[in-house]
Amino acid sequence: MASVIETKDLKKTYHTGAGDLEVLHGVDFNLVEGEFVAIMGPSGSGKSTFMNILGCLDVPSSGTYRLLGESVKDLSADQLALRRNRYLGFVFQGFNLLPRADLLENVSLPLLYAKVPSDKRRKKAMELLDRVGLGPWASHRPNQVSGGQQQRAAIARALAADPSLILADEPTGNLDSVNSDEIMKLFIELNEQGLSLVVVTHEPDVAACARRLARFHDGLLVEDSPVVNRRRP
Ligand SMILES: Nc1ncnc2c1ncn2[C@@H]1O[C@H](COP(=O)(O)OP(=O)(O)O)[C@@H](O)[C@H]1O
Ligand SMILES: [Mg+2]
């Protein structure tokens, strides 16, 4: 299987007014195509910092990060943005949909940035909404649908560029358990179609849906093991 993520002795130091703060102390983490990993760990343990680096939103202070076999070390900001748009899909706790645009327009947005012509854009966005079960809600605005539906629209948007990997930081953090399960069902389905996923979560029930669990503590990966008795909502 092709390597999607490979980090070796990855470290991150933030330079703040109060001095330097090392928050990742040397993380080795690999993910091959088709994996579904949940990341857990207490607040402040470095999960979001790690996800930001995986997402090419930030760069490591030392160590290596290879995305799809390529080291990000010497890439410019523009080159990082290109990798981000081409290979990665992001899902956030707060959905981050445009409130004044309907779901179809929200999902179309990355296609607009990618300069896909408008007729193709519409067709593809509609297919994506159908794929996440939101076809009938295409012309609704975010505030006219449930939180779970908003997050599914955000997932459809993340899928627009046919990414190799979805990175989700607390994707069910704003959802009740029924809506959370809806999202996890969709992630399981997408993973079974071959998509690779990394999902940060505080909730054991959410992590139990992944195939593998990685646990951070104080900037170190302290556990990385297969999920036994995987939960299927
Ligand atoms: N931009 C930043 N500048 C300085 N310190 C930061 C920054 N982002 C995060 N931190 C600190 O790094 C540590 C890890 O944070 P974070 O990666 O957000 O952890 P988690 O997502 O596990 O809660 C925390 O102590 C946090 O305060
Ligand atoms: Mg965080």
Side-chain angles (χ1 to χ4, degrees), residues 43-44 46-49 169-170 200 202:
S43 279
K47 306 179 301 293
S48 292
T49 298
D169 198 347
E170 301 278 3
V200 170
H202 271 104

Side-chain angles (χ1 to χ4, degrees), residues 126-148:
M126 204 55 226
E127 283 167 8
L128 289 162
L129 282 174
D130 282 333
R131 193 169 168 196
V132 301
L134 287 178
W137 285 271
S139 60
H140 286 58
R141 288 187 185 178
N143 68 3
Q144 296 174 315
V145 301
S146 72

Side-chain angles (χ1 to χ4, degrees), residues 72-115:
V72 303
K73 191 163 176 270
D74 297 316
L75 298 179
S76 67
D78 283 352
Q79 289 171 321
L80 286 172
L82 207 66
R83 306 296 181 278
R84 210 154 55 225
N85 296 335
R86 192 172 298 165
Y87 304 130
L88 305 174
F90 295 89
V91 178
F92 306 96
Q93 178 168 358
F95 320 137
N96 298 16
L97 298 169
L98 297 177
R100 292 179 177 283
D102 66 24
L103 299 186
L104 188 77
E105 290 163 338
N106 268 286
V107 173
S108 299
L109 211 57
L111 301 168
L112 178 69
Y113 294 145
K115 302 195 168 63

Side-chain angles (χ1 to χ4, degrees), residues 14-16 21 23-24 41-50 58 169 200 202 216:
Y14 288 116
H15 306 285
T16 71
L21 182 67
V23 301
L24 295 176
S43 279
S45 58
K47 306 179 301 293
S48 292
T49 298
F50 186 62
D58 202 353
D169 198 347
V200 170
H202 271 104
F216 273 83

